[in-house]
Amino acid sequence: MLRFIVRRLLQLIPILLGLSLLLFAWLRALPGGPAQAALGERATPEAIARYNELFGLDQPLYVQYLRFLGRAVQLDFGNSARTGRAVTEEFFERMPGTIELTLFAMLFAIGVGIPLGYLAARRHGSWLDSTSVIGSLLGVATPVFFLAYLLRLLFAVELGWLPGSGRQEVRIDATRITNFYVLDGLLTREFDAAWDAFLHLVLPGIALGTIPLAIIVRITRASVLDVVNEDYVRTANAKGLATATVRRRHIVRNALLPVSTTIGLQTGLLLSGAVLTETVFAFGGVGSAIFDAIFARDFAVLQGFILMLAVVYVLVNLLVDISYGLLDPRVRVR
């Protein structure tokens, strides 16, 4: 198992180097170069020359890349052109919101998806099975931003049951400790602030969790159907084991192996930034920051946020591989 983990860690090095190279090339491929894109209408030849000299863009490309790589290792991506604050500081300020939203979305997807997929497999060919298959197809096919607008229009605007924007009511004077608003409210015993922050997660969390929900339903259903037909399940039934025991020990435990991998990968994708969902609900996370940076041409934020999110995604995938190795005896044997 240790060899498996070390091999996965070593594989991260070329992946991260490749990501950094792609990001570096993308910035240099902007029309007119980074200076032209950042300065916009103020891009006179003199201003471009000063900008290039200030940021070392007049150096050879390999020198620029090595300097970029050295600063990236130190998490130094410069300052935001909009706010003047350090990019890393803004990232760690906004990332808790994205983590909260991702956790809510995945808890919603797992809590509904696994039981529904299992029941659909157990009642294969029934109306429940057909409904779950059609529903999962609709869930994957429906654009997230479209569903987000529908949920906001119905439950926030028309019915007024849930808040439709932000992470918390602006009139609440809440104490900030970790920037996880729900957790901060619980730690400081400001339960009204925690409850309000939770309510603000409901609509964006459901919208964001719809696609993972549909995928988890389909993977769970297919996995249970495969496991039910395995020889060891038929042997357990032939021995006269209780039905609940067979389902718990032989069917569910083995069927959840591919489901756990799917959950991990979907979590990594959501953590990488829910740009559309956060934008629709004006949710102060990483995704909305990227959206604002695109229109403001804040390339320091884009560069830093994209690279750090890529690292987050790669690390989550590493944890998925390690978890699968711990759960699957075939990997442990190797």
Side-chain angles (χ1 to χ4, degrees):
M1 188 62 197
L2 180 60
R3 184 181 302 175
F4 173 79
I5 296 175
V6 171
R7 187 168 64 249
R8 286 292 187 269
L9 288 173
L10 292 176
Q11 289 174 352
L12 289 182
I13 298 175
I15 292 174
L16 294 177
L17 285 175
L19 289 172
S20 66
L21 187 60
L22 288 174
L23 183 59
F24 177 82
W26 169 67
L27 289 173
R28 298 310 181 275
L30 292 171
Q36 176 76 38
L39 294 174
E41 296 178 355
R42 300 169 297 170
T44 62
E46 295 79 10
I48 291 176
R50 287 196 301 270
Y51 187 95
N52 289 336
E53 183 180 359
L54 178 63
F55 292 97
L57 299 178
D58 54 350
Q59 301 291 324
L61 283 178
Y62 73 90
V63 175
Q64 295 181 41
Y65 176 69
L66 291 177
R67 181 180 298 177
F68 164 75
L69 203 59
R71 293 176 60 188
V73 171
Q74 301 173 29
L75 297 181
D76 179 12
F77 299 99
N79 296 331
S80 168
R82 292 182 301 123
T83 63
R85 299 173 58 199
V87 172
T88 306
E89 180 183 343
E90 289 201 359
F91 178 83
F92 287 112
E93 181 181 290
R94 285 181 172 263
M95 192 62 188
T98 299
I99 294 175
E100 273 190 335
L101 183 58
T102 297
L103 290 178
F104 184 94
M106 290 309 301
L107 287 175
F108 165 71
I110 294 169
V112 178
I114 291 180
L116 184 58
Y118 177 79
L119 291 175
R122 295 300 301 171
R123 291 165 174 77
H124 181 57
S126 67
W127 66 268
L128 178 61
D129 184 28
S130 301
T131 302
S132 67
V133 171
I134 295 174
S136 62
L137 290 174
L138 288 175
V140 173
T142 304
V144 174
F145 71 90
F146 177 72
L147 179 62
Y149 276 118
L150 287 181
L151 291 175
R152 184 179 180 185
L153 176 64
L154 178 61
F155 293 103
V157 178
E158 297 294 336
L159 298 177
W161 291 353
L162 293 165
S165 64
R167 291 185 61 192
Q168 198 170 57
E169 175 62 47
V170 294
R171 291 172 294 183
I172 295 180
D173 186 18
T175 305
R176 298 283 178 259
I177 299 176
T178 64
N179 270 338
F180 292 92
Y181 286 7
V182 177
L183 179 61
D184 287 346
L186 296 176
L187 291 176
T188 58
R189 297 179 180 271
E190 297 173 352
F191 299 114
D192 59 332
W195 176 247
D196 184 76
F198 176 80
L199 292 179
H200 278 78
L201 289 171
V202 174
L203 290 182
I206 291 176
L208 188 62
T210 302
I211 291 180
L213 167 63
I215 294 174
I216 289 173
V217 168
R218 292 180 65 84
I219 295 296
T220 304
R221 174 182 175 273
S223 182
V224 170
L225 288 175
D226 287 341
V227 171
V228 165
N229 296 318
E230 293 290 341
D231 292 338
Y232 57 83
V233 175
R234 287 195 290 266
T235 302
N237 287 321
K239 288 182 177 179
L241 292 179
T243 303
T245 302
V246 174
R247 290 178 180 176
R248 184 178 66 254
R249 292 184 180 179
H250 298 284
I251 297 178
V252 175
R253 288 179 61 181
N254 290 284
L256 286 181
L257 285 174
V259 177
S260 63
T261 304
T262 302
I263 291 172
L265 295 176
Q266 290 298 313
T267 302
L269 286 173
L270 299 190
L271 282 174
S272 298
V275 177
L276 295 177
T277 304
E278 291 185 8
T279 302
V280 171
F281 290 99
F283 196 86
V286 172
S288 59
I290 292 176
F291 180 84
D292 294 337
I294 291 173
F295 282 92
R297 294 189 175 186
D298 195 344
F299 293 102
V301 170
L302 287 175
Q303 176 179 272
F305 275 41
I306 291 174
L307 188 57
M308 286 189 281
L309 286 174
V311 172
V312 170
Y313 180 75
V314 170
L315 291 177
V316 170
N317 275 270
L318 173 64
L319 292 177
V320 171
D321 288 341
I322 294 175
S323 301
Y324 191 86
L326 293 173
L327 293 172
D328 194 338
R330 294 170 297 181
V331 178
R332 291 201 300 267
V333 169
R334 293 177 187 175

